[in-house]
Amino acid sequence: MTFKPLAGLAALVLGAFCALMPAPASSQPRDNVYAVAGIHVDETAANAAAGQQAGFAAAQRAGFERLVRRLTVPEDLAARGMPVAEGAALERLVLSVDVEEERRSGTRYIGRLTVRFDPSGVRTLLRGAGLTVVDTRTAPVLVAPLATADIPPETVTLWRQVWTQGGFGAELVPLTIAPEALQGVPAWASAAPFAQAAAAASVLYATLRVQGGVATATLVEVAADARRDRGEVSARLNGTDAAATRAALASLAEQASARLQNEWKGRIATGGGQRARVSASALYDDERQWERIKQALEGAAQTLISEIRIEAVGSEGALVSFSFVGDRGQLGAELERRGVRLEDSAQGPVLRVIAAR
């Protein structure tokens, strides 16, 4: 059987490969944004059990505030204020508190925790407060935490730690951390292999320097077709010990992440991230290529696309449909970095595996 783009659908055989791709494929990744990781707590109480309880309660409060800021547009939140959820009301929104790392003594509890929230309950609360909820993810960004030559090695280590332990992978713009091997000036030529390995669309170079009691990070983002200076973020060092340094560096990472997150949310809120639906012909030479196309779609379901449907399948092609957020350029780039090209033909959109070079 020969498959022609968007033609001869009655001749296609349904179901041959349909069971291999779930639909919708994006429900779980969307819920993942309701998990807030990397929450640091340090609580003292009468005994160890009370200290842990206080630490968990503090993590729930901090996690809720961070989640609200994650899911709302800054201008909207500033106008309406932070919604209140305390005591039993907050506990009803929490699905679990997971320990990433902890230390405890007879009266003190220090931990890094993840708090998972109920997506439905959080959305209901925020919308009831008049806030627009933005929980659609986009393509990940790889972060290269670098430092100037005069930064002590222990501070360089802390700079990487605040990124790796900050919970930024669950943000709407997921941030993953580049291996230490990625060094040098911001350049796509050197960053591209690392970005490809991390399935990232771009790389954000965050270069740390410290001067006069102020820590500053210069931000430059590079991609295949663009270089963008994203300015600087700064934080004052309130002390010379490791805790003070860590707090300042964590603030820099949070500020840098916020720039990326708020830009994406702004696009969604103003219509730049409106959802559209595409029907495309997936053309392939064999089952292996068909598997690669499906894997690319499933991978993109972690970011831009959702509601994947296989409408029909034949020996040399299939008709698939899916929804996506963003523009067609973003969609094409997201699929291309996963090894599949989206092309326009006279018969409509076509998906093909990119030939190995």
Side-chain angles (χ1 to χ4, degrees):
M1 180 190 305
T2 299
F3 182 85
K4 302 297 183 183
L6 299 179
L9 297 184
L12 295 175
V13 179
L14 292 173
F17 303 117
C18 292
L20 299 179
M21 180 181 287
S26 64
S27 59
Q28 185 59 36
R30 182 189 185 200
D31 287 353
N32 284 349
V33 305
Y34 290 85
V36 182
I39 305 172
H40 289 265
V41 295
D42 186 345
E43 297 291 328
T44 301
N47 53 60
Q52 183 186 53
Q53 184 177 10
F56 278 31
Q60 291 178 11
R61 293 190 298 271
F64 175 73
E65 180 172 338
R66 180 168 169 181
L67 181 62
V68 171
R69 297 190 185 281
R70 172 184 293 173
L71 301 176
T72 58
V73 179
E75 295 79 8
D76 197 9
L77 186 61
R80 301 186 181 277
M82 177 68 63
V84 177
E86 298 177 345
L90 178 56
E91 290 181 2
R92 284 193 293 270
L93 294 175
V94 175
L95 297 179
S96 67
V97 179
D98 304 329
V99 176
E100 300 177 41
E101 182 180 80
E102 66 178 3
R103 289 182 293 148
R104 64 180 81 194
S105 65
T107 58
R108 189 179 181 189
Y109 180 83
I110 302 173
R112 189 174 79 248
L113 309 174
T114 295
V115 182
R116 304 182 188 279
F117 291 89
D118 171 36
S120 177
V122 171
R123 286 193 289 265
T124 298
L125 175 66
L126 296 183
R127 288 166 180 161
L131 295 166
T132 300
V133 177
V134 181
D135 59 4
T136 301
R137 305 182 85 183
T138 187
V141 173
L142 186 67
V143 177
L146 307 181
T148 56
D150 60 331
I151 300 297
E154 59 272 20
T155 303
V156 174
T157 299
L158 276 178
W159 182 224
R160 290 191 62 84
Q161 283 183 355
V162 297
W163 284 102
T164 57
Q165 298 178 1
F168 299 112
E171 296 290 346
L172 300 183
V173 181
L175 305 182
T176 57
I177 312 308
E180 292 186 54
L182 178 54
Q183 297 287 330
V185 298
W188 180 248
S190 54
F194 296 93
Q196 184 177 13
S202 63
V203 177
L204 180 71
Y205 286 76
T207 304
L208 174 69
R209 71 177 188 273
V210 178
Q211 186 175 11
V214 176
T216 302
T218 302
L219 309 174
V220 178
E221 187 176 8
V222 297
D225 58 353
R227 173 191 167 104
R228 184 175 179 187
D229 292 331
R230 286 191 167 271
E232 295 182 341
V233 291
S234 297
R236 181 163 293 281
L237 291 161
N238 295 317
T240 58
D241 61 346
T245 302
R246 184 187 188 95
L249 301 188
S251 174
L252 296 183
E254 290 163 4
Q255 292 177 60
S257 174
R259 291 196 179 182
L260 302 180
Q261 311 306 326
N262 291 338
E263 180 181 275
W264 170 246
K265 288 185 291 185
R267 292 186 59 193
I268 295 286
T270 58
Q274 290 183 348
R275 190 173 298 276
R277 190 147 188 93
V278 170
S279 292
S281 302
L283 304 184
Y284 42 83
D285 296 330
D286 50 37
E287 185 176 346
R288 183 178 59 84
Q289 288 190 356
W290 174 222
E291 287 294 331
R292 287 188 61 186
I293 292 173
K294 289 189 295 182
Q295 289 170 5
L297 292 172
E298 290 175 343
Q302 300 174 32
T303 54
L304 299 181
I305 75 173
S306 62
E307 300 170 339
I308 303 168
R309 296 285 186 271
I310 301 178
E311 311 291 353
V313 177
S315 60
E316 297 178 12
L319 181 64
V320 300
S321 64
F322 53 88
S323 298
F324 74 98
V325 173
D327 56 42
R328 281 291 291 269
Q330 276 188 305
L331 175 62
E334 177 71 359
L335 291 171
E336 188 160 334
R337 69 191 181 86
R338 298 179 186 277
V340 171
R341 182 168 289 115
L342 175 63
E343 304 171 337
D344 288 318
S345 72
Q347 291 77 31
V350 173
L351 296 167
R352 300 178 190 269
V353 171
I354 299 174
R357 296 178 180 177

